[in-house]
Amino acid sequence: MTTTTPSRGRRRAPSRIERAAGRAAALQKPRVVLALLLLLGLTSVMLLDGYLRAEVGGDQRVRDGASSSKVPDEIINGGPIISFRGGQATTTSVPDKTIALTFDDGPNPTYTPQVLEILEKYDVPATFFVVGSMVSRYPGIVKDMVDQGNEVGIHTFTHVDLSYQSDARIRREMTQTQLALAGAAGITTTLFRAPYSSETDAIDNYSWPVYKKLGEEGYTSVFVDTDSDDWKKPGVSKIVKWATPSGTSGASVLMHDAGGDREQTIAALPKYIEKMRAKGYTFTTVSGVVEAQNTGAQFPVGNRNGTDRLQAAHREATGATLYEGKALVVAVAVAEYTVPALSAGLVVVGVAVMGRFGMMLILARRHYRQRNRRRFSWGPAVTRPVTVIVPAYNEKECIANTLESLARSTHPIEIIVVDDGSSDGTSEISREAARALGMTNVRVIRQENAGKPAALNNGVRHASHDIVVMMDGDTVFEPDTVRQLVQPFADPEVGAVAGNAKVGNRNTVIGAWQHIEYVMGFNLDRRMYDLLRCMPTIPGAIGAFRREAVLQVGGMSEDTLAEDTDITIAMHRAGRRVVYQEHARAWTEAPGSLKQLWSQRYRWSYGTMQALWKHRKSLTDRGPSGRFGRVGMPLVVIFQIVTPVFAPLIDVFTAYSMIFVDFRAALYAWLAVLGVQLVCAAYAFRLDKERYRYLLMMPLQQLAYRQMMYLVLIHSCITALTGGRLRWQKLKRTGEVGTPAGVGR
């Protein structure tokens, strides 16, 4: 056993990595906040869309047969227009031979423009009681409505029965609709019609307090005298008949321009106008009726010359109301375009995810059958000694276990422990452990802190053999691991071998989640990539290389934070074959806290992006390099970056559907996807001969762990897009992963 140490007696200057650490740490918090803001923005858009479609909060309970004992008789028996002056309610009736034509539930992009076209053709004004959510979605129609000389009133924001709502909900429904009108047409209104209302004799003890409260705030509540019942779709003739008042009586007439199929209404409207005009009737708005009663003025017959009087309920929106209204309309427009785009993205992501599962199952099965044939062989057995390089930085908890596992190796090895400037006595512990184990094949090399790539390169330079095995200082090997790992080198085309990394500390919730991920997400993937001859990563915990191949590509690069992915791609580009040896198992200590897990996966994700960008020219290369660029790189980008980045759409839409649409259907869909994942995971566990009991943690993993991984990847993407640089994060280890003999599966 030999030791190399640096010079002593002077204070070490901070390394390049350490100098960058402070700068990187200052930049990460804003990027985390930005990632969370993106997620919050997406959630807000979905919630806004659901609210606009009345799929949330739309409590549509309608009373039936309630008492009206608290409603004044003059209101029940009065006219259809109720106003409050000085705290007293007064009613207004529509004069004889006068029609106040009203439409509810709009605007609708299909039917409302047709209604407006008919009204303009016949020079007839009308009053539209609009739903605020629809106004915010179709502001242009409302502006045309007002510009044409029609009047608008509020029909709540989500078409909810206000009789059962709190004061805060009532205020919100009215205020939001006013804002929508301000943003769409630059006005507010004093007219109101409650959803599910009809004639005044239907006012009861539940609804009367609502009308009183709104009346005291300046609203005029509008009811009907004659209901066309067009929503029943009884036929054109019946709609015309039912909308016609008896004799020469005036009436507030109800029709609908939205809320369902209104083709019959569109067909009936011109016939109705012609019929009523033939009977000598005049059409006006609700404000026109009120003004006529108050002033005795005559209605403008068949023209729009009295537009100002006909729109007397309108108020010009100014100040904060106007700007808030415009902001609402813009936000809704964003939601209207975003949600369909997200829906299309969901389809793409869903197809990609399902395609990946199918590809993994098919190719993993084929890989397993190929490698387990009786006649399969890499070639003559590899029995010559190899060098095992163990980079170590403050690994006092783990290094002794690592060396103890190597002492049991069934393959001849030399061990080089490269202490990368540890301050916890890692070198001394390594030497003591080697002496205690009687190991004479261990060399401990100390260097100033320069990072893991530099430590590995130092080990490669000092290696005595042509095959080097690289492992982490917190990892333990099984006795047969090295022998299994180096057998593929019997094939002269093989330049590197990826081993099978296992989670040793799997008896915690976080450990079990990572165990599932390692078996399914990593090793099942590697079988697929191996068969396609485009392995993207040799895990840092267990990998083997031809020494000459490592030197040929310039060693382990410090250009990225994923030196394992970087050198793997470099091997492909150099024409070396990279394979997966599932029988070579290593047990590693996975992060034991969410904070450490975030740090590790953040570095992995960001480093992978760096490596892919660094080797982007492989897309246009010829030969083996081009093969990886045109097969491996697209698969990595699609499966490890693009799909995971957009995979939250599945969860967002699932939650959206559960809350706003159909809880049962959404739940069944989620369970179906979970079932597919369980099948894939169970097959991966079978191939790796793992116990199935850990799969009981998979539903919880999908609800919590997977979402965290999405955020990590989004965070990494933001860092990459903003040109950030990360430092190497040292994880805190406990040394709880002992030698393989003590690790239970």
Side-chain angles (χ1 to χ4, degrees), residues 560-573:
T560 74
L561 289 174
E563 81 290 334
D564 45 8
T565 300
D566 192 345
I567 195 170
T568 305
I569 300 176
M571 287 283 175
H572 285 292
R573 300 191 69 187

Side-chain angles (χ1 to χ4, degrees), residues 277-298:
R277 278 188 171 165
K279 295 180 67 173
Y281 272 77
T282 296
F283 289 89
T284 189
T285 62
V286 171
S287 291
V289 172
V290 174
E291 185 177 0
Q293 185 187 59
N294 293 338
T295 65
Q298 297 297 314

